[in-house]
Amino acid sequence: MKNIQKSKGFTLIELVVVIVILGILAATAAPKFIDLTGDAKTSVMQGVQGSINSAINLANAKALVSGETGPTGEIEIGGEFYALINGYPAAAGEGTADGQTTGNGYGISELLELDSETPVEITIAAPALFKHKNATDKDECVVTYTDSTGAEIRPEVTSDFDKC
């Protein structure tokens, strides 16, 4: 009788099938992980939007306590003066106030104190625009801050993150 040896291992066909299956799985999963930079830019801008909303709440609380809820006013925070419109931070201020002149303090961008490493470009005007410096289209990766339009009307903070 002949001694038949059983071979151990995989055939070439089995190996090719496994490689093809792994290739298909990689092709379907790869797009989810390739472009995460857009998500990162969107997250930065969402953080800026959250900071703006927090600054609005804190400044309004300080304005209410200080009795500065009129059409114009200012509050002092940390030795700096910030302009108010209807008790909310102004989109654009005119620099440091002397403590006597109403409404000449800094605007919302100075209140946020964004550091130089934050990749956000700020247009200080009314409305104030916060754009990501490295966005595909800066005009479509933006947070817009529009001043309050009346008593007890919160400023509008809108966002467009289409092409971050």
Side-chain angles (χ1 to χ4, degrees):
M1 294 216 166
K2 289 185 178 179
N3 213 357
I4 301 176
Q5 290 184 337
K6 290 194 174 193
S7 62
K8 295 180 181 177
F10 298 103
T11 65
L12 183 61
I13 293 173
E14 290 171 323
L15 291 174
V16 169
V17 169
V18 168
I19 291 171
V20 168
I21 291 172
L22 289 174
I24 292 170
L25 290 174
T28 56
K32 293 181 181 179
F33 302 106
I34 288 176
D35 188 23
L36 296 178
T37 58
D39 293 340
K41 292 172 191 171
T42 299
S43 294
V44 166
M45 295 307 292
Q46 288 171 338
V48 169
Q49 186 175 11
S51 296
I52 291 170
N53 285 321
S54 294
I56 290 170
N57 292 337
L58 293 171
N60 182 250
K62 174 91 175 182
L64 289 171
V65 169
S66 302
E68 292 285 344
T69 57
T72 60
E74 65 188 12
I75 55 172
E76 181 181 1
I77 300 174
E80 299 290 341
F81 291 86
Y82 298 92
L84 299 174
I85 296 177
N86 298 313
Y88 293 99
E94 297 179 16
T96 305
D98 59 9
Q100 305 299 318
T101 308
T102 304
N104 286 338
Y106 289 123
I108 186 70
S109 62
E110 291 86 7
L111 187 59
L112 292 178
E113 294 184 5
L114 296 174
D115 62 20
S116 61
E117 294 180 17
T118 305
V120 177
E121 178 180 289
I122 303 167
T123 303
I124 302 171
L129 302 174
F130 300 82
K131 299 178 181 182
H132 199 289
K133 291 178 184 175
N134 303 321
T136 306
D137 183 352
K138 288 182 186 177
D139 292 329
E140 295 196 30
C141 187
V142 64
V143 175
T144 306
Y145 178 89
T146 307
D147 285 325
S148 169
T149 56
E152 298 184 25
I153 297 176
R154 185 179 168 82
E156 277 190 53
V157 181
T158 56
S159 59
D160 181 3
F161 303 139
D162 287 342
K163 294 194 179 172
C164 285

